[in-house]
Amino acid sequence: MYSEKGKYTVEVCFSPLSWPLFEKENAVIILTDIFRATTSICAAFQNKVKSIIPVAEILESIAYKEKGYIVSGERDGKKLDCAEFGNSPFNFMEPRLQGKTVVMNTTNGTQAMKMVQKGNNLVGIGAFLNLDAICNWAMQQKRPVIVFCAGWKNRFSLEDTLFAGAAVNYILKNGKGDFHTMCDSAIASVDIWHQARINPRAYIEKAAHRHRLKKMGLDDILDYSMQLNINQCIPVLVDEEIVDMG
Ligand code: MLT
C-alpha cells in the first residue's frame, strides 16, 4: 500500500491535537465524527435540510437562537439547554426541518470543522452513510486528501479511524493512480478497515464512544450509523455553512 507514485498524497489525522502536523492550505479534508455529528449531517441532508451552521461556542448557539434560528447541540452527549434537540441523526429527520437552516454545536465534531477551515482548504463531511459519494467528490478536486478524525476530546477514536480506513482504501483503489500514501496512520486505518469490513457493525462494539452512548441511552443510532452508502449527499463547508453539493 505504501507508494510514492501518484500525484496527490492521502493522509489520516487521528486527532485534532495532531492537526498541526498535517495542516495544509490547499488540501481536501474529509472530516468525520461517526458518533454522531457527521452521521447526523448526512441524515439532515437526506431529509432535505437546507444548510447546517457549525459553531464551537455555546454563546454562539445562544446568539443564533436569539436571531430565530433552529439550534441543535450537545456536550458529552447531553442536549444543550439552549438547543431544541441534541445530536441524534434521528433528530434531523423531522419533516419540519426540510428547507430550514439548523445551527449545530457538538463536543468534538463542530469544533474540528472550525479548526480545519483555513486557507484554500476544501472541507467535506464524511460518514459511512455517504462514503463513496464524499470520496468521489474528494478525488475530483485533484488535491492532496486528508481524512480528519474528530476523535473524542483529542483522543483516538475507533469509529472515526474505521471510516478513515474505508475512505483511504476507496480512494487508493479508485483514484486511477492519481493518489498515493506514505502515511502510517493511513496505512494503519486501512488495516483496521480490512479487519472490520465483513461486519463493521459488529466490530464497532469495541469502540469506547459506543459504550458512552449506551450508558446514556443514546445508542439507538448504531445500526443506522454503520450502514454503507445509503445516502448520496456531499456536505461541504462553504464559508460559515455546510451545504449539500450532491
Ligand atoms: C461530537 O461532535 O462530539 C459528537 O458527535 C458527540 C455525540 O453526539 O455523541
Side-chain angles (χ1 to χ4, degrees):
M1 188 187 318
Y2 177 98
S3 165
E4 298 179 23
K5 288 187 190 146
K7 199 165 173 190
Y8 307 106
T9 54
V10 184
E11 297 174 288
V12 173
C13 175
F14 281 151
S15 144
L17 264 192
S18 303
W19 179 240
L21 307 173
F22 289 85
E23 189 160 10
K24 292 184 176 50
E25 295 218 334
N26 195 25
V28 177
I29 292 144
I30 302 178
L31 192 146
T32 194
D33 183 2
I34 294 298
F35 299 147
R36 302 166 287 171
T38 60
T39 298
S40 294
I41 291 169
C42 292
F45 286 119
Q46 192 159 33
N47 184 31
K48 306 224 175 312
V49 164
K50 183 178 162 220
S51 63
I52 306 268
I53 301 178
V55 299
E57 303 297 332
I58 294 174
L59 284 176
E60 289 178 86
S61 297
I62 293 170
Y64 273 110
K65 188 180 179 181
E66 284 167 358
K67 284 188 216 159
Y69 281 85
I70 300 168
V71 168
S72 70
E74 57 74 42
R75 278 297 176 280
D76 295 339
K78 290 197 195 99
K79 184 183 87 61
L80 292 177
D81 286 343
C82 65
E84 274 184 49
F85 48 86
N87 192 32
S88 165
F90 300 140
N91 294 142
F92 292 85
M93 294 177 185
E94 291 178 33
R96 74 180 176 100
L97 301 179
Q98 288 167 5
K100 301 273 170 52
T101 293
V102 180
V103 176
M104 174 187 263
N105 188 339
T106 70
T107 312
N108 308 283
T110 59
Q111 319 279 328
M113 288 168 209
K114 303 309 269 183
M115 181 183 272
V116 297
Q117 196 181 25
K118 293 250 172 76
N120 290 322
N121 285 340
L122 296 172
V123 184
I125 302 298
F128 289 110
L129 305 182
N130 71 337
L131 173 68
D132 291 4
I134 200 69
C135 290
N136 287 332
W137 167 81
M139 290 188 291
Q140 284 158 12
Q141 309 310 315
K142 306 275 184 209
R143 296 177 185 213
V145 176
I146 307 169
V147 185
F148 184 107
C149 301
W152 180 258
K153 299 189 177 178
N154 288 322
R155 299 181 72 150
F156 178 95
S157 141
L158 209 43
E159 64 276 16
D160 295 349
T161 303
L162 190 58
F163 168 84
V168 172
N169 187 54
Y170 185 91
I171 291 169
L172 294 180
K173 280 209 166 128
N174 296 286
K176 301 192 175 92
D178 284 345
F179 295 89
H180 71 278
T181 194
M182 300 180 291
C183 169
D184 278 359
S185 42
I187 293 166
S189 305
V190 175
D191 280 352
I192 291 176
W193 170 245
H194 280 141
Q195 180 164 354
R197 65 187 303 168
I198 305 285
N199 191 346
R201 172 66 185 84
Y203 181 86
I204 218 64
E205 287 299 317
K206 296 178 180 180
H209 197 48
R210 183 266 173 276
H211 294 281
R212 255 181 239 118
L213 291 170
K214 187 175 186 178
K215 281 185 193 140
M216 290 183 288
L218 298 173
D219 63 335
D220 55 342
I221 51 92
L222 269 280
D223 290 345
Y224 175 77
S225 307
M226 297 307 296
Q227 297 175 97
L228 290 174
N229 297 314
I230 61 161
N231 186 324
Q232 297 307 307
C233 73
I234 303 171
V236 175
L237 201 46
V238 179
D239 300 324
E240 299 301 308
E241 284 183 315
I242 302 167
V243 294
D244 183 8
M245 312 277 253

